[in-house]
Amino acid sequence: MSEKLLSVSPLTLKRRVAALEEEVQECRQTSLRVAELTDLVTELLVPLVRGDSDEALEILERYHQSL
């Protein structure tokens, strides 16, 4: 093992692991949000390409209600 690792206290390592776990959770939440928005954009593309603005507005309304 490296000397640097051996000089780190168990408490310091526990704190660092806790901080890393929080960062991982934030990344997961961000990834989920990106996936949700990607789904919304995908769902909106079909009616917009067809020129069906009423359906697009309905999709957006459902999205706003889900927030």
Side-chain angles (χ1 to χ4, degrees):
M1 287 190 164
S2 97
E3 286 183 35
K4 186 176 180 181
L5 184 58
L6 292 175
S7 67
V8 177
S9 74
L11 183 57
T12 300
L13 290 175
K14 286 180 182 181
R15 288 180 181 156
R16 184 63 183 140
V17 168
L20 290 170
E21 287 173 339
E22 287 179 22
E23 290 177 22
V24 167
Q25 185 59 31
E26 288 177 21
C27 288
R28 286 178 179 159
Q29 290 172 344
T30 300
S31 293
L32 180 60
R33 184 72 178 128
V34 168
E36 290 170 347
L37 291 173
T38 301
D39 290 347
L40 174 64
V41 170
T42 302
E43 190 177 355
L44 281 170
L45 283 177
V46 173
L48 291 174
V49 167
R50 288 192 314 230
D52 190 348
S53 59
D54 290 336
E55 185 178 352
L57 288 173
E58 287 176 24
I59 292 167
L60 286 173
E61 182 61 32
R62 284 195 312 266
Y63 169 73
H64 285 285
Q65 289 175 357
S66 72
L67 295 179

